[in-house]
Amino acid sequence: MTNKKTYKIIFYNDEDIFEIYASHVFPSELYGFIEVEQLLFGEKSQLLIDPGEERLKNEFNDVKRTYIPMNAIIRIDEVEQQGVAKVTGSKGSVTKFPVGGKIDN
């Protein structure tokens, strides 16, 4: 019996933070990208529908493989069991790191 690995991938997408689950994660042949295959989402038979997970299901509908830029990755964890995919940090709640310019004191 083989244990199926599950990975939790947290990454920036525009101004949102996506948390997704997948069975396969590895460096891509495309330089600077992580390749993610077999995205995992909750069962459709659930009575309660999480709008964040629904948004991600729609975003990744029919996606066989996705490539995420390495600089967008926050962290990748191997987890015991799949959690709920979600979107956090919706528009405007993530503060960008200041680049250049004058620092006000």
Side-chain angles (χ1 to χ4, degrees):
M1 178 181 219
T2 59
N3 288 338
K4 218 173 173 188
K5 293 184 179 181
T6 302
Y7 297 95
K8 176 172 70 171
I9 304 101
I10 304 171
F11 63 98
Y12 291 109
N13 185 32
D14 292 325
E15 293 182 6
D16 293 331
I17 298 174
F18 284 14
E19 181 177 315
I20 60 173
Y21 292 84
S23 295
H24 302 287
V25 177
F26 46 91
S28 173
E29 292 179 2
L30 295 172
Y31 183 74
F33 287 85
I34 295 293
E35 204 166 323
V36 179
E37 289 183 347
Q38 293 184 356
L39 299 175
L40 305 171
F41 294 103
E43 296 297 317
K44 293 186 183 243
S45 63
Q46 293 176 345
L47 293 175
L48 297 175
I49 297 174
D50 181 10
E53 185 174 31
E54 274 305 302
R55 178 177 167 198
L56 287 170
K57 281 183 185 179
N58 291 334
E59 176 104 12
F60 293 103
N61 188 28
D62 296 327
V63 172
K64 178 181 175 183
R65 176 182 302 131
T66 188
Y67 299 87
I68 303 171
M70 283 188 191
N71 64 334
I73 301 283
I74 296 172
R75 79 187 279 162
I76 299 173
D77 296 324
E78 184 179 339
V79 295
E80 291 291 323
Q81 63 184 23
Q82 174 187 340
V84 177
K86 59 186 169 186
V87 178
T88 57
S90 63
K91 304 290 180 197
S93 66
V94 176
T95 305
K96 293 183 179 180
F97 189 78
V99 179
K102 182 178 171 183
I103 299 175
D104 295 328
N105 288 335

